Amino acid sequence: MTRQSAARKPETTEAVIRLSDVNKWYGEFQALKDINLTIKRGERVVVCGPSGSGKSTMIRCINRLEEHQRGTIVVDGIELTDNLKNIEAIRSEVGMVFQSFNLFPHLRVIDNLTLAPMWVRKMPKKEAETLAMEYLERVRIPEQAYKFPGQLSGGQQQRVAIARALCMQPKIMLFDEPTSALDPEMIKEVLDVMIELAESGMTMIVVTHEMGFAKTVADTMVFMDAGEIVEVAPPSIFFEAPKSDRTKLFLSQILTH
Amino acid sequence: MTEIIAPTGDTAALAPVRKAARESEPPPTEKIGALRWLRRNLFNSPLNSALTIVAFVLVAYWGVSFVEWGILDAVWYTTDHNVCRQAAGACWAVIAEKHRPMLFGVYPYDEHWRLIVALVVYLATVTLTLTPYCWKRSILIPLWIAALAVMGTMLWGGVFGLTYVDSGQWGGLPLTMVLFTGTVVVGFPISILLALGRRSRLPAVKAISVTLIESMRGVPLITILFFAVNVFPLFLPEGMEIDKMLRVVVGMAIFFACYQAEVIRGGLQAIPRGQYEAAEALGLGYWRMTYKIVLPQALRICLPGIVNHIIAALKNTSFVLIIGLFDILTATTAVMQDPLWRRFFVEAYLFVAAVYFIFCFALSKYSQQVERWLNEGRRF
């Protein structure tokens, strides 16, 4: 890897996501404990940590797939509350890619992509299809446009999922362990697409165990453990000189296996 | 691929020598003779051999008696019931003799042609509706408006010089079709709403759905029909009257919907949570998500169950017997009171059974076709 993230600074300093003292419980279990995190426009954040540490819960709170019970989350100037209008407004600005792809199996690839632009953005069908083909080319599978998701490989499905999220032309992209369900030989094709997206200046929050990807792409590393943010640092410091013992332990486990 | 990539030029030392992938062979063909098939499928163990022989003997015995009774010794056509009485076999002549009151009930005899027109229009409309080519709003909406107008004019009359016939006098097959179609068309949307309602996060919506479904499922259809016809009018303000046919259809539709709702709920539960999350993450609202993502998948999963209930609804129309409507079955029962022909009721009922069978079988075949359409080009 020749690209160094330290060379690229976020373009602006404007905060686009701000989590302040966010807490969440599942029943008695506290999943998030006083989470404070500010993400600037164009910033690329990689979140890592052991399983069950609250990484997914945190990013799922950002588009309200999970509801936080205390604290405030402000996304692109809109605070997340029970207000359905706000939630839908935020969701249409925030794209999400899931571990299990979650493509709509009854719709062809192209219809998966045009659905939200047509029904949320009210885009005419023709225009939505042109847009969809554009993004399918970007993820390098335009030839699969008229197949059903079940006919594609895992890596192709995940690239379709990325294209589907991009079709809404979101300001922020959330990735929830996008390569964890993939066979090893397909991980690279998905990561390549994500690296390209990162280079285009997209604000990205990525939960992943792919540390090579993190070193290449991240502006900021966030390490979580037991519902807390333990360490926030640029990757150069995070990987070379982590402060917390918990981070050190995690890194030694994940990097030496 | 048969070519072997040979190392060439100065990279020869580094280039891997790849052996071409082996050509796939066709699968072995298996030829099974009739005897071997019999041995493998019918006589593969002493118990199965015994069962095969017993089943064969029974089928042969009943088959032969039925052919004797129903075909060889049968009377196919006569207007004289005495000919039938002297014959040893079936009297199919009763159908020719009585088919009009059986098919059309107590509807005025001279106006039966109107029912034939209505039935033809109905069958044509339904056939077109079930053809994918016609699944466009620009076709279906005008088609149904026109069809309903024609059928209404024919059944009720009272315009264009046609005599007025009260819905209480409708009978036979057209009545069965009115009840069935009304039940499904009114009931199906209600069933979807009830199924969604039962899974709703809103407590009031959920409570209403659960109460309605559970209370309706707890009582027999006959009770509901009795309520719709005899009890419900008591609650209406004086002077207000709702057509009896309409009350019956609505009663049957709600009954149908409550059963169907549970079938659909089964389909809804089979949709993975990820589908909802993906739709929500894209910013789709509840109704759009339900309409575009959830229902198409859920209805497809429970299609066999849905068709099951639709077929049951067709046969449930015969319950209108108890409220004095003459559907095809009740009409037949009434017609067979004729002392001259009464002993041939078996033949008459077989005829009615055949009519029901044709419709139910067509429905079931159609649903299999729909499943094939839905499976085209898809793997899950």
Side-chain angles (χ1 to χ4, degrees), chain A residues 116-128:
Chain A
M118 280 170 64
W119 295 98
V120 180
R121 293 257 190 265
K122 314 283 177 214
M123 196 182 273
K125 191 172 181 195
K126 271 259 150 57
E127 206 178 308

Side-chain angles (χ1 to χ4, degrees), chain A residues 60 91 103 106 119 148, chain B residues 275 277 280-281 288 292 377:
Chain A
R60 288 160 60 88
R91 280 176 178 164
L103 294 178
H106 62 299
W119 295 98
F148 285 95
Chain B
Q275 292 289 306
E277 289 181 349
E280 284 175 358
R288 213 153 266 152
K292 289 279 174 190

